[in-house]
Amino acid sequence: MNIIVCLKQVPSTTEVKIDPKTNTLIRQGIKSIVNPLDSYALEESVRLKERYGSRVTAISMGPPQATEMLRDAISSGADDAILLSDIAFAGSDTLATSTTLAKAIVKIKNYDLVICGRQTLDGDTGQVGPEIAEMLGIPFIAYVNKIEEIANGKLRVQRMVEDGYETIETSLPAVITVVKEINVPRMPSLRGLTKAKSAQIPTWTTQEINAEKETVGQAGSATWVVKVFYPQRVQLAEMLKGDPETQAKALVEKLREAKLI
Amino acid sequence: MEYFLTEQQKTLKSLARRIAEEKVLPVRAELDEKEEFPWEIIKTLADSDLFRIFVPEQYDGMGSSSLDLCLVVEELSKVCSGVAVSYAATALGAYAILLYGNEEQKQKYLPAIAAGKRLAAFGLTEPTAGSDVSNIKTTAEKTPEGYVLNGTKQFITNGGEAEIYTIIAVTDKSKGARGASAFIVEKGTPGFTFGKKEKKMGIRSSSTRELIFRNCLIPAENILSKEGMGFVVSMRVLDHSRPGISAQALGIAQGALEAAVDYTRQRVQFDQPLISLPVVQYKLAEMAMQVEAARALVYSVAKTIDSGAKNFTEESAMAKVFASDVAMRVTTDAVQICGGAGYMRDYPLEKMMRDAKITQIYEGSNEVLHSAIAMELRKRKGRRE
């Protein structure tokens, strides 16, 4: 069985700053990490490898620096990795990102399961997983919290829904996105780190994945960022003054005025 | 300081540090309080291949370098030396098989140890035999079925948790120290049980127990080397393992130094951080110098062993005595300059001070090791004349 896991490098903070001129993230001086939810996808791939003897390929679309993240993926158990990097991929929205990833997956050809994290820390859309499935024309299951079994070309999983769990069976190949409840990602191993150091990680460009230039990057994006802004901080609280008794009376008065009591 | 570590050693060191910071730090106070064996951390260390670094490649290991082991033990000990010794005691138990096991014994036991699936332990100390190793009372009687063990071992690190034990027992009472032999005994062998679990001052997450043998029959092929080699096996094993204890002491001292620097930078008294006070600066500088000197000695001894030296009893003893004395002094000073906070359990320093004490005691008390060093000096002088 061949598993493809999709990873993304994101800034290691939730308090990102935005360049007011270009409306894009300021990435300088901020350490990059693997998108936390993607690390659960990687761990699940490696667990499936240990369970079923599969082969795990990690792929990522990103700048050349993302190679380091892919090396980390190898040190944590991925067999090999491919970086999708091209100046033409810059400015991709979820549609263009999914197009690029789907094209790369088609080129890899032999795959049974594609695993992604539920969503990213930076974009936060959760759209790339389902879009890949749509483009590949294969089944998709979101929010998987447990892989029960893979047998006879079928996959049975448990997934989290708002008021409980669903057990779903699908044919393979398929795409799934996982939630953090699915596992606890492992530490890298010494053997993995040694292997990662010398691993050859090829870079595929637009040409290598046989994509049309107008379908990737900004050109292939259906959406573009018009404006990015911080929500305005507004102080609406009113502090009641006086001793506790006066404060309590004033509070009751306010609640009456608001017809809450 | 530049110690010219190889790329692989740097990788190993940073992996061990990451595990210590991410997996050990959050639970160290709880493990200490509950005196709980750190199984989950041991599993992480195993999955990260850290039990492979003291086992040769042909037995599923990744080499067997003393310095590699020291680097890992040091990093773990900076955070929790109870965890570190639980890990290192397996190396101690495995050394007897590594150094004196025959091919079958190595094939049988080392791969499981390298994978971290089975922990090991070394059983030498008895109620009547501590520094006086020649006074061991546990016997191994040869019968047609194998050896029958009787006796009690005391204060055995990893006791109860380990599955593979190297045990020293007397096969010939008339020969004194030359009448002892070394055996491999597996947990679960009928007649082999565990006695009380000790309550200790420090390294409380590690397990220290009695091993009890009552007519415990083991196969004759479980003997290491041959009859009468028990004393030699013990001494050689301890020569090999002492750098690990030195690295443990070094890690404790480094951890205490770092904690003391952190605290004295933040704590303000007399309108300035403590670290601005000359008296505190003097103490911190003294601590830093001692720690670095200990590291230079420990690494040098480990490198001496890795270079293939034949006899390193003296060097190994020096590293252990020096580093453990440094650990005790540095942790005591660290508690002192951090004052009330240093003494409280909410801060890590009191634990480090409690943990440091054992490093002056086990794997050869510092007093016995002073004698060993002096004996080597005397022997060498004698040879020259």
Side-chain angles (χ1 to χ4, degrees), chain B residues 294-305:
Chain B
R295 182 172 291 114
L297 181 58
V298 173
Y299 287 10
S300 297
V301 171
K303 284 181 179 176
T304 302
I305 297 175

Side-chain angles (χ1 to χ4, degrees), chain A residues 190-231:
Chain A
L190 193 57
R191 281 176 169 176
L193 287 164
T194 311
K195 189 183 160 204
K197 232 169 228 162
S198 56
Q200 296 289 326
I201 298 178
T203 301
W204 288 358
T205 59
T206 314
Q207 209 177 357
E208 264 123 354
I209 59 170
N210 308 311
E212 304 294 326
K213 273 223 149 66
E214 52 280 9
T215 63
V216 298
Q218 201 151 22
S221 295
T223 60
W224 54 93
V225 181
V226 179
K227 189 184 172 196
V228 177
F229 60 92
Y230 288 109

Side-chain angles (χ1 to χ4, degrees), chain B residues 44-314:
Chain B
T44 302
L45 296 171
D47 290 344
S48 298
D49 296 328
L50 294 185
F51 284 92
R52 297 189 195 280
I53 63 161
F54 49 82
V55 177
E57 282 169 22
Q58 64 264 44
Y59 310 108
D60 294 353
M62 297 183 76
S64 52
S65 143
S66 180
L67 184 56
D68 287 4
L69 182 64
C70 285
L71 294 172
V72 174
V73 172
E74 180 188 354
E75 289 304 326
L76 295 176
S77 299
K78 276 187 202 169
V79 173
C80 178
S81 59
V83 166
V85 77
S86 302
Y87 160 74
T90 287
L92 171 66
Y95 274 136
I97 302 173
L98 278 163
L99 297 169
Y100 291 96
N102 57 34
E103 195 51 36
E104 288 79 55
Q105 289 166 335
K106 287 180 181 174
Q107 292 286 2
K108 184 171 177 191
Y109 297 105
L110 294 179
I113 289 174
K117 285 186 186 140
R118 303 180 85 191
L119 301 187
F122 181 63
L124 173 62
T125 303
E126 294 188 5
T128 60
S131 294
D132 182 5
V133 180
S134 63
N135 203 31
I136 58 172
K137 301 275 188 252
T138 297
T139 55
E141 193 194 336
K142 190 156 195 186
T143 69
E145 292 78 38
Y147 287 96
V148 177
L149 271 62
N150 275 293
T152 302
K153 293 286 172 186
Q154 183 178 257
F155 302 158
I156 305 307
T157 307
N158 273 1
E161 311 296 339
E163 291 185 43
I164 300 164
Y165 295 80
T166 315
I167 301 298
I168 308 298
V170 176
T171 39
D172 188 344
K173 271 183 207 158
S174 66
K175 288 188 179 160
R178 288 179 194 283
S181 305
F183 299 93
I184 302 168
V185 186
E186 291 185 54
K187 182 179 178 175
T189 308
F192 175 23
T193 55
F194 303 102
K196 82 166 169 162
K197 188 170 182 254
E198 304 293 343
K199 287 181 176 291
K200 305 187 292 292
M201 176 186 194
I203 55 165
R204 289 165 42 139
S205 63
S206 71
S207 166
T208 310
R209 279 179 86 168
E210 278 179 340
L211 314 180
I212 301 165
F213 301 97
R214 294 279 176 271
N215 295 321
C216 171
L217 173 71
I218 58 167
E221 74 244 25
N222 281 21
I223 191 165
L224 280 161
S225 185
K226 53 183 198 248
E227 280 191 20
M229 284 291 283
F231 188 70
V232 176
V233 170
S234 305
M235 293 304 112
R236 286 297 283 172
V237 163
L238 291 169
D239 283 349
H240 272 87
S241 68
R242 272 181 201 121
I245 296 300
S246 321
Q248 182 195 6
L250 169 62
I252 297 172
Q254 178 69 42
L257 173 63
E258 284 171 20
V261 171
D262 279 347
Y263 182 78
T264 54
R265 279 177 70 228
Q266 284 157 19
R267 171 77 171 168
V268 174
Q269 292 287 274
F270 311 109
D271 298 326
Q272 56 186 329
L274 281 185
I275 201 164
S276 301
L277 299 174
V279 66
V280 173
Q281 289 181 343
Y282 186 87
K283 271 224 160 90
L284 286 172
E286 282 286 315
M287 288 155 72
M289 284 187 277
Q290 289 174 37
V291 171
E292 208 55 59
R295 182 172 291 114
L297 181 58
V298 173
Y299 287 10
S300 297
V301 171
K303 284 181 179 176
T304 302
I305 297 175
D306 291 342
S307 74
K310 289 266 179 311
N311 183 10
F312 41 83
T313 303
E314 186 182 0

